[in-house]
Amino acid sequence: MTAASAQRAQELRGLLNTAAHAYYVLDAPVMEDPVYDRLYRELLELESADPSLVTVDSPTQRVGGTPAEGFSSVRHRIGLLSLDNAFNAEELGAWYGRLLRVLDREPSEGQPRPALAMVGELKIDGNALALSYENGVLVRAATRGDGEQGEDITANVRTIGSVPLRLQLDQPPAWLEVRGEAFIPDGVFDGINADRQQRGEALFANPRNACAGTLRQLDPKVVAARRLDFFAYTLHLPDDWQGQRPTSQWDSLQWLRDAGFKVNPNAELLPDLDAVEAFFNSWDGGRRQLDYATDGVVVKLDNLRLQDAAGFTQKAPRWAIALKYPAEEAPSKLLRLTCQVGRTGVITPVAEFEAVPLAGTSVSRATLHNADRLDELDLHAGDTIVVRKAGEIIPEVVRVLKELRPTSAERLQLPHTCPECGSTLVREAGEAATRCINSSCPAILRGALRHWVSKGALDVDGLGSKLIEQLVDRGLVQSIADLYRLDAALLSSLERMGQKSAENLVSALAASRQQGWARQLYGLGIHHVGEVNAKALAATFPDADLLQTAACNAPESITAVFGIGDEIAQSLQQWFANPSNLQLLNGLREQGFSLALSADEQRRAEAASSERHLSGSTFVLTGTLPTLSRSQAKELIEAAGGKVSGSVSKKTSYVVAGDEAGSKLTKAESLGLTILDETGLQALLGSPQSA
């Protein structure tokens, strides 16, 4: 490599990246196509002659390399949570009320609500991406996945012209996390489908599905040909970065623009809730003129300090909400009412109707949830119904056009017996759900097996729904534990199962015995115990026996776990009280399952518990602390075993009060609770003996 070649390559990269930013992001070309092509070829020739000149931010690396064999799973540095939804002004107002309460800014009775500045952004109907930069260079791009882990699709995202390979900053941070939405513009989508139609290929249902499928293509050249676009909307910077740091969401959007990202131009800074509603209403019609799909508006608290104070639930930020537009509706004729039996025995009525196009897909089925909803709709055979997609995703029956009802039509009701096993159905007082309580019901067993082998649970590859149906229908599997009694000879005798597939499945089942206690617990399918709750419970109760003892004899120890409430504690108590569930646990132990933390997990848990001297203590944070953000204080407390609550009660152990502490401090004083400032909190965190 000569110095002249290296200097020229650097110069060409700068010219080409600047031109790409002007074209893809600013929509203001600064270079004619022939000039760009000539410079691009010159850079390509330099890099071909001397591969050491190739850098990850080179424009030649947007599309390159051989197709991938698959995508690896990566853990996000910062989680990608989803947003809670609101579908009308009342639900928006309720969210705002909750936000004021958690910020300790609720008005006194008879006083107006205080106005907090918010940012309204169009909700792009695409696919969320997490972009990671190190020293200004794109090093990784990943899908949302489950919010904690996604798939590494860096090679594909490099093909998106509006994603900068290098930040346009003189002094970039050591690392930067950017969140945004990849999408296919409507015009591009129409062209893709036109080409597919000419080639006799199946058409994509809508731009969002096309984008999702494109991002998971193994060949980046296919991705490049589909011309995806990208809008950035969130950034995360290192705490110790000394550069100019945005203090609001509005400033963050400008920071992203300055760094070289494409930001949706239709965002607006809104002074109060009335302005939010006006912004939302103004785009109801205007969104149809855009060249990309949007199904609502994302409303975010503008002040980043207040965002931090508001914090998160386990699933979503408290400081943001997606305000959705009413879904498209269409009439259709009801053909029949069927029922599904879930893995917990819940009977779900399903309306089957003549197929109608909705939000880009053909829809012919919709859940009716339960008997109450069925009665509310007053469905009769042959009714004409109005169908829509809730949140433009899930089909639902909105209402019945009774004026079109056939004469003498029969009213539809849930059956009295299980459609799968014939057992009498039960509906307990005060419950909306109707259930089959026969634990041997084939439908319940099939659902339990599908859940056990699912990706978030035991993650058994090769055991799909069709094979599960065969195993259950032939009586080969009557419980989860029976899966581990299967051998390759028996499996290979089943339909569509060869010897090699059977051997692979037996190996996959054997390997699943090594999955951690949290996955095993989640796989049991206990009502209300999801992946996040299972991890929290497994960390606190290191084996099934301890969890059973706590659930049956000390439910207060269950609810003491952060994020676990009375509903989960009650569900665990009911589950362990069922003899068939205890029989299942014994069967799993016989098949080699520990139903406990492994030795390594146990050591890590013990090391962590030695530092959790605040276990059993409940904290409430109010006001602004001098050096700690609300989320930092919360993380420190939880790392020490404490629980952070949003409300003050007699059970509160400590109230940590900073500047501008409000009604929570007043209530704490009236109850005689222990009140700490930041210094007192730090002392408590650092002194196990004082706890």
Side-chain angles (χ1 to χ4, degrees), residues 603-622:
R603 280 192 292 271
R604 287 196 296 270
E606 288 172 356
S609 65
S610 67
E611 300 175 2
R612 297 172 65 84
H613 57 280
L614 296 182
S615 295
S617 298
T618 302
F619 291 73
V620 172
L621 304 173
T622 181

Side-chain angles (χ1 to χ4, degrees), residues 99-106 622-623 660-665:
L99 180 61
L100 292 177
R101 281 196 297 277
V102 77
L103 292 175
D104 205 12
R105 297 196 176 201
E106 259 190 310
T622 181
E660 299 182 19
S663 58
K664 292 176 184 176
L665 176 58

Side-chain angles (χ1 to χ4, degrees), residues 652-676:
T652 302
S653 308
Y654 304 96
V655 172
V656 182
D659 293 339
E660 299 182 19
S663 58
K664 292 176 184 176
L665 176 58
T666 304
K667 185 173 182 180
E669 290 171 338
S670 69
L671 292 173
L673 301 177
T674 302
I675 298 168
L676 304 173

Side-chain angles (χ1 to χ4, degrees), residues 15 35 57 227 368 380 383 426 437-438 468 620 644 689:
L15 289 169
V35 177
D57 64 320
R227 296 154 52 200
L368 298 172
H380 285 61
D383 268 344
V426 173
I437 56 173
N438 174 19
I468 286 174
V620 172
V644 178
Q689 67 275 11

Side-chain angles (χ1 to χ4, degrees), residues 184-208:
I184 295 180
D186 292 345
V188 174
F189 173 74
D190 292 340
I192 292 171
N193 263 354
D195 289 342
R196 293 177 72 85
Q197 189 169 27
Q198 283 186 348
R199 294 196 299 268
E201 298 176 352
L203 302 186
F204 287 118
N206 53 52
R208 187 181 190 281

